[in-house]
Amino acid sequence: MDSRSPSVACIGFIGRHNNPLHISLFPASGTGYESERNKLEYSFMLNSCLDIFEARMPTKGLTQDFGLLHALDERIAMYGWVTNTGVKIVVVVDMEGVPAEGARVTAGLGLRNSDLTPAFHALQTTYIRLLRNPFYVPDHHNPKLSKGTGSLQITSPRFIRDVERIGKTWYPGIGTM
Amino acid sequence: MATKAARIGEEVWKSRVDKINAEVVTLTYGTIVAQLCRDLTVPNTINKTDYNAVNKELDRMGYNMGLRLIEDFLAKTGTGQCSNFRETAEMISKVGFKVFINITPNVSNWSKDSDSFHLVFEENPLADFVELPDDGRAQDELWYSNILCGVIRGAMEMVQMQIEARFVSDVLRGDDTTEMRVTLIRIIEDEMPPDDE
């Protein structure tokens, strides 16, 4: 049995009013493991994280690293981060996502919270870049203020590209992203 | 001659200019353009932006700015009159842009009779982090930094030169470079006011 190493399964951005802003899925790779991730299943998983955020919401309003939110089973674990504006970033890690090779060969002892920190920093930077675009109006993605119907998710191609790049290139022990 | 202009620009930027945070400028300009896109819509539609009207409005705003900026520029740099259009181009690119937004676009593509040139912008602080809206038309119709064309047009008019400035390519649209074409239309001669007698 090849040794496997953790990889990102899903990245989710959830807005201040618990509205989904963006969900990116990353399929597992390697023989016998390939399968598309089920979007609905991962939506439910992200939903379940919201309760954990609610319970531990900090009163001070600084960007908080929640670390491991919840370990679903042997393979899936969810890590979370909330910014001071209430935007929540969730990274779902698949412990057996990719074959362990090259830079990904790790001691295999499991994941530390600090392993996810470069990914969260990079995701926060991507989100800030999106906010700096004058044509992105955060209120349009807010279900309480927006008058539109249909999906209120982020559509900026550069943002989606950056999130996918972060998800694909992350491995435990990576330095800056 | 080119280095003299560069030296003037550098010296004035370092000593005689008040500085402002670049992010504030970028965000303010971005808000202006986004707001114009929301306000100026094609007649009889609600949300369809009229990008040509936005371009014209940015040009008009820039024109009004240019009329006033030229006084400030001449006072700060103390330069005399330029002897030919080539010298004017150097002054605009090495001193003018340097003193006000700390960039030095390159002058290139002179036409055969030296009456038009291209300004090539390696960096454009007004357009940092901007992504044009995805409605299929902005990419082809909106010149995001069009205020700069207006500024040059306004400033030149106050020194008796009528010029036309317009963008020919923009990295925000997916082109390789951001280039503005500046063409001299005519030198404005002072006209005597109509005789009272």
Side-chain angles (χ1 to χ4, degrees), chain B:
Chain B
M1 202 277 125
T3 48
K4 174 168 167 245
R7 220 179 359 97
I8 299 174
E10 188 67 39
E11 189 201 312
V12 174
W13 167 255
K14 281 213 179 76
S15 55
R16 275 174 266 176
V17 174
D18 291 328
K19 315 285 191 301
I20 184 178
N21 184 329
E23 275 194 46
V24 172
V25 174
T26 307
L27 285 172
T28 307
Y29 184 68
T31 312
I32 293 175
V33 178
Q35 191 63 40
L36 282 176
C37 288
R38 276 194 286 275
D39 290 341
L40 297 172
T41 51
V42 176
N44 297 330
T45 61
I46 308 179
N47 278 327
K48 203 165 148 193
T49 310
D50 185 355
Y51 289 109
N52 281 319
V54 175
N55 289 336
K56 280 205 192 66
E57 188 63 33
L58 286 173
D59 187 82
R60 193 177 10 215
M61 288 167 63
Y63 178 76
N64 287 321
M65 279 171 68
L67 297 180
R68 296 155 228 268
L69 277 184
I70 188 72
E71 298 291 348
D72 194 24
F73 172 77
L74 291 171
K76 282 206 167 81
T77 57
T79 49
Q81 202 170 30
C82 293
S83 45
N84 56 32
F85 197 52
R86 289 206 173 233
E87 217 179 299
T88 309
E90 289 298 315
M91 288 307 274
I92 295 176
S93 70
K94 301 276 180 316
V95 190
F97 274 102
K98 176 77 182 167
V99 166
F100 288 111
I101 42 179
N102 198 24
I103 59 171
T104 43
N106 294 320
V107 176
S108 73
N109 266 41
W110 276 102
S111 68
K112 267 199 303 283
D113 35 4
S114 283
D115 69 352
S116 92
F117 61 93
H118 279 208
L119 280 172
V120 180
F121 293 87
E122 311 262 295
E123 42 157 0
N124 184 357
L126 295 178
D128 275 343
F129 297 107
V130 174
E131 249 178 274
L132 292 182
D134 213 1
D135 60 0
R137 293 175 307 121
Q139 293 273 15
D140 300 320
E141 294 176 32
L142 177 65
W143 293 115
Y144 184 79
S145 317
N146 216 34
I147 204 171
L148 297 176
C149 297
V151 171
I152 296 181
R153 186 167 66 89
M156 287 296 105
E157 193 161 305
M158 292 303 278
V159 285
Q160 268 78 45
M161 275 189 266
Q162 185 181 1
I163 60 111
E164 186 210 351
R166 49 188 189 80
F167 275 97
V168 293
S169 71
D170 194 352
V171 289
L172 292 179
R173 287 193 175 197
D175 303 322
D176 295 325
T177 55
T178 306
E179 276 189 38
M180 183 201 297
R181 180 180 187 75
V182 180
T183 312
L184 175 65
I185 310 279
R186 65 187 183 106
I187 311 271
I188 305 171
E189 301 296 339
D190 275 335
E191 281 156 13
M192 297 298 294
D195 245 343
D196 280 327
E197 294 156 26

Side-chain angles (χ1 to χ4, degrees), chain A:
Chain A
M1 179 92 146
D2 291 329
S3 58
R4 310 278 300 174
S5 106
S7 79
V8 170
C10 166
I11 293 179
F13 278 81
I14 300 166
R16 189 194 181 85
H17 302 275
N18 292 338
N19 49 318
L21 287 174
H22 180 68
I23 301 177
S24 258
L25 299 172
F26 303 91
S29 70
T31 48
Y33 284 84
E34 279 134 7
S35 60
E36 279 304 312
R37 308 258 185 212
N38 184 346
K39 182 139 187 174
L40 191 59
E41 187 188 333
Y42 280 84
S43 274
F44 284 148
M45 269 191 237
L46 292 176
N47 237 307
S48 67
C49 295
L50 293 177
D51 287 326
I52 308 177
F53 275 113
E54 195 74 43
R56 294 201 244 160
M57 190 57 91
T59 46
K60 276 194 304 271
L62 293 170
T63 304
Q64 271 275 43
D65 182 358
F66 274 30
L68 175 67
L69 297 170
H70 182 50
L72 200 63
D73 55 22
E74 286 153 1
R75 277 185 68 176
I76 307 284
M78 294 175 285
Y79 293 79
W81 184 287
V82 69
T83 66
N84 51 2
T85 48
V87 172
K88 309 168 189 77
I89 310 174
V90 179
V91 173
V92 183
V93 174
D94 181 351
M95 296 307 285
E96 291 169 16
V98 288
E101 58 202 359
R104 289 173 177 265
V105 175
T106 59
L109 282 176
L111 229 44
R112 284 182 297 257
N113 285 344
S114 57
D115 286 331
L116 264 305
T117 308
F120 279 118
H121 275 308
L123 287 169
Q124 190 182 22
T125 308
T126 308
Y127 182 66
I128 292 171
R129 268 194 92 172
L130 174 71
L131 284 177
R132 290 184 68 173
N133 177 11
F135 293 108
Y136 170 73
V137 184
D139 279 346
H140 286 175
H141 299 263
N142 182 346
K144 290 202 163 66
L145 295 176
S146 156
K147 296 185 276 280
T149 52
S151 165
L152 293 172
Q153 305 216 4
I154 293 172
T155 54
S156 155
R158 185 170 61 190
F159 176 78
I160 296 176
R161 238 194 348 256
D162 276 341
V163 170
E164 301 206 336
R165 176 191 63 91
I166 293 169
K168 286 201 179 82
T169 57
W170 176 84
Y171 62 87
I174 195 170
T176 46
M177 296 189 73

